[in-house]
Amino acid sequence: MTSYRVPAASDPARPAADRPLTIVVDGEPVAGTAGQTIAGVLLGAGRREWRTTAAGGAPRGVFCGIGVCFDCLVEVNGLRDVRACLRRAQDGDVVTRQGGTR
Amino acid sequence: MRDVVVVGAGPAGLAAARAAASAGALVTLLDAADGLGGQYWRHLPAERPAGREGLLHHKWATFGELSDVLREHPAVTVLPSAQVWSLERHDGGIRLNILVGEPDGAGRQALVLEPDALVLATGAHDRTLPFPGWQLPGVYSAGAAQALAKGERVAVGRRVVVAGAGPFLLPVASSLLQTGATVVGVHEAGRIGSLARGWLNRPWELAGAAGKAGELAGYVGDLLRHRVRWRPGEAVVAAHGDGQVDAVTVARLDERWAPVAGTERRVEADAVCVSHGFTPRLELAIAAGCDLSSSRFVLVDDTQATSVRGVWAAGEITGIGGADAALAEGTVAGTAAAGGNAGTGTARAALRARSRARGFAARIEAAHGIRPGWTGWLRDDTVVCRCEETTYGRVREVVELTGSHEARSVKLTSRAGLGPCQARMCGRTLQELLDGPGARGRAAGGVEGGPAPTVDRRPFVVPVRLGELAALPATSTSRTATSRTASALPTASFPSASQPGGDRT
């Protein structure tokens, strides 16, 4: 486990209690809390990579975190090329790995 | 009554919208994000209210006050999740083409605004110079680490290295510490000599910018409390790992930022956050025809007016000056855009604050500005363009084969800069590699008041799905949707996208 979400109970910023949601990533359930982006849910669960590049077949995840670099693209509910760092996760979202951006 | 549209809801845009409304204008404030505050005040969403969120921010009370005023002001329409995807000029006016809805959604609502006056407050994003391994998952821009910490309460790693250049590295390290992560070190490329020349030159001028100095002192205090080492004259020159980062190489740099042979050391880390400065988001300013400075910021006069009639600019797109400068510039710009007198009242005080804050941008450049020796840490297999995976070796090969140093032709042959980010990550780097050290902007523009360099031109501000483009109403029918009717527009409430999407442009 590398990246993680700060547990609400020990967070000095005192966020409200979690409102759990689950998204399905390449067939596996991943737990998050309402209001997180898809990238936030994935990183919060310790997943750092979720895309494979078209040319080199290399793994990618978040780089810029603010919607500028397009490294974090995923397919969400059948729609390709969604920036995971911007899209808020909805309970039940089906997220699929993209093999490239073209 | 004048219609004023403000694009960008960070410190500059928020201040501009309030000032324009106070001066009697009808104001529409747009932001592509679904909340206010921009990157500076990136915060937890409404679904996760936090009791002590102010701990994570500087000037949080100012944000609360600005957003409260704007949400309640009868002459202000706040339109979140509104992506301006292009700007056209017509009959001496400006037309903004906007899609409102979920980011990268397929069925967003089209909106066209033709304001009397436009304030651009589009901000900046991090600039990260390439280094071997920077494409590995686990390498982040410093801004990403901060956005995830403040906006998600997510730590990008447990043992984190922060590196690059500039005062921004300090709040990033503080944000990481507040997630409970261990910051292994903060490595600043600027050496003590440049830092001293930048920050200690004419120190009496800094007295007026006490707010900024106090903010920085707070971050330094955080580092000291956590015994985090801040090391000037050092850089992360490589990231290592099999598919994900597990270590980095740190090396000492000389005055030109070239790595000093024999000083490399390996540091175990599961995340590394790197930024060497900021790139202004100039797409809309360039599409509007605004003149740029030789250092490629939007040129503005004393009232923040650009060279284009009816267009004002504020914040980081006019120079990297931080939030205090952005708030002051926004107030001046908003007042002027509304037709008010920028020489009176709050705008007058803002003008004084702006001149104090402006000195900061020059100091940051002198102390932390990118030096040409950084290319010394590149290898032939180092990825330069992250989207197309074009390597440094390939770029050099194309230059040798074609004999061309023109960014445009090298891009077309090597594919560097042609991916979905539209060269936002690599464009300036590529240009500097082609121009060679010292020749700032020779090949592709960068002339005072001249046309925008090719690498900064993006007629489509973001990729738009062909399906959404095809669904746009004819321009003549949508022209009625000016900001006068904006109050009747939907705000941020959108169903989750479930339609299969078309291809991107």
Side-chain angles (χ1 to χ4, degrees):
Chain A
M1 210 66 142
T2 52
S3 54
Y4 60 91
R5 182 159 60 90
V6 183
S10 61
D11 191 335
R14 294 192 194 152
D18 286 357
R19 289 164 48 202
L21 58 74
T22 304
I23 62 174
V24 179
V25 183
D26 295 329
E28 281 181 40
V30 179
T33 186
Q36 284 191 287
T37 62
I38 288 172
V41 171
L42 289 166
L43 286 165
R47 292 183 179 224
R48 297 195 293 177
E49 64 92 12
W50 52 81
R51 184 171 73 86
T52 308
T53 60
R60 293 289 172 86
V62 162
F63 178 66
C64 82
I66 61 169
V68 183
C69 78
F70 291 77
D71 248 358
C72 66
L73 297 180
V74 283
E75 182 179 310
V76 182
N77 303 326
L79 188 66
R80 279 174 64 88
D81 298 335
V82 174
R83 284 169 286 178
C85 71
L86 298 184
R87 176 65 69 90
R88 301 279 176 200
Q90 306 290 334
D91 193 39
D93 273 348
V94 176
V95 175
T96 311
R97 172 180 292 260
Q98 285 192 199
T101 60
R102 287 192 284 271
Chain B
M1 203 183 252
R2 253 172 121 163
D3 276 331
V4 175
V5 168
V6 179
V7 182
L14 292 170
R18 179 171 67 175
S22 302
L26 205 53
V27 178
T28 307
L29 174 63
L30 307 173
D31 199 286
D34 56 8
L36 300 179
Q39 299 311 329
Y40 186 74
W41 285 313
R42 176 98 164 214
H43 57 280
L44 287 163
E47 295 94 328
R48 294 173 74 189
R52 301 186 66 196
E53 193 159 20
L55 280 183
L56 310 178
H57 295 270
H58 191 72
K59 289 193 174 232
W60 186 241
T62 304
F63 172 62
E65 184 202 325
L66 278 167
S67 45
D68 287 351
V69 166
L70 292 172
R71 287 185 196 287
E72 284 155 25
H73 201 295
V76 176
T77 302
V78 176
L79 204 54
S81 301
Q83 175 70 59
V84 181
W85 60 270
S86 77
L87 180 155
E88 299 169 82
R89 296 165 76 173
H90 70 98
D91 312 330
I94 295 281
R95 176 184 298 144
L96 297 170
N97 296 307
I98 302 158
L99 286 165
V100 185
E102 277 195 319
D104 301 326
R108 290 177 289 179
Q109 185 175 353
L111 168 68
V112 175
L113 296 179
E114 295 181 353
D116 301 322
L118 174 65
V119 180
L120 295 174
T122 45
H125 59 76
D126 302 56
R127 172 147 183 222
T128 303
L129 297 171
F131 55 89
W134 77 308
Q135 76 280 12
L136 286 170
V139 179
Y140 303 90
S141 76
Q146 195 181 42
L148 286 158
K150 296 203 302 195
E152 304 259 3
R153 303 306 288 139
V154 161
V156 292
R158 294 188 187 274
R159 277 179 60 81
V160 187
V161 169
V162 177
F168 179 55
L169 300 182
L170 302 177
V172 169
S174 286
S175 291
L176 283 163
L177 292 169
Q178 285 173 320
T179 63
T182 299
V183 177
V184 187
V186 178
H187 307 276
E188 158 69 51
R191 299 215 317 176
I192 284 291
S194 336
L195 301 183
R197 277 194 295 284
W199 292 106
L200 301 181
N201 183 30
R202 292 183 292 184
W204 58 89
E205 290 180 1
L206 280 173
K212 191 77 194 169
E215 180 183 351
L216 290 174
Y219 302 135
V220 171
D222 288 342
L223 296 195
L224 290 173
R225 266 194 304 285
H226 289 86
R227 295 197 168 80
V228 175
R229 299 185 74 166
W230 178 81
R231 307 184 69 123
E234 290 190 351
V236 166
V237 296
H240 314 283
D242 181 15
Q244 302 194 21
V245 165
D246 55 31
V248 296
T249 298
V250 173
R252 292 199 57 80
L253 301 183
D254 67 16
E255 195 65 34
R256 297 176 64 253
W257 287 24
V260 178
T263 63
E264 299 88 354
R265 65 180 193 279
R266 199 178 166 97
V267 177
E268 305 283 310
D270 56 17
V272 52
C273 308
V274 187
S275 287
H276 299 93
F278 291 94
T279 303
R281 305 183 75 159
L282 297 174
E283 292 82 4
L284 297 177
I286 289 172
C290 299
D291 284 347
L292 305 183
S293 67
S294 57
S295 50
R296 291 150 80 185
F297 291 99
V298 179
L299 280 173
V300 289
D301 70 8
D302 282 349
T303 68
Q304 301 293 131
T306 70
S307 61
V308 176
R309 195 182 153 85
V311 181
W312 283 260
E316 309 296 70
I317 58 169
T318 66
I320 302 303
D324 291 336
L327 287 165
E329 290 167 7
T331 302
V332 174
T335 306
N341 185 347
T344 58
T346 48
R348 191 185 168 90
L351 279 167
R352 285 196 298 271
R354 182 185 62 182
S355 67
R356 285 196 300 271
R358 269 191 177 165
F360 254 76
R363 286 174 190 275
I364 290 170
E365 180 57 30
H368 309 277
I370 292 169
R371 307 286 196 271
W374 70 269
T375 55
W377 67 59
L378 294 176
R379 299 189 315 232
D380 273 352
D381 64 352
T382 304
V383 168
V384 171
C385 168
R386 301 175 61 91
C387 297
E388 297 292 325
E389 303 177 274
T390 311
T391 60
Y392 179 51
R394 177 66 181 150
V395 171
R396 293 207 311 191
E397 190 180 276
V398 166
V399 169
E400 276 168 32
L401 284 173
T402 62
S404 174
H405 284 258
E406 293 238 7
R408 193 180 135 76
S409 70
V410 172
K411 278 168 72 175
L412 289 173
T413 313
S414 72
R415 296 204 55 81
L418 296 181
C421 93
Q422 298 179 279
R424 284 181 174 88
M425 294 294 106
C426 72
R428 293 192 169 194
T429 292
L430 190 64
Q431 194 191 327
E432 281 164 22
L433 292 175
L434 298 176
D435 289 356
R440 228 175 146 166
R442 176 176 59 83
V447 179
E448 188 82 5
T454 326
V455 295
D456 288 341
R457 290 176 177 272
R458 292 176 196 100
F460 278 85
V461 175
V462 289
V464 178
R465 292 178 198 281
L466 290 178
E468 283 186 326
L469 280 183
L472 292 179
T475 306
S476 55
T477 60
S478 59
R479 282 183 71 168
T480 51
T482 68
S483 53
R484 263 180 220 292
T485 59
S487 54
L489 293 166
T491 48
S493 154
F494 306 98
S496 140
S498 54
Q499 302 132 280
D503 291 323
R504 289 163 167 273
T505 55

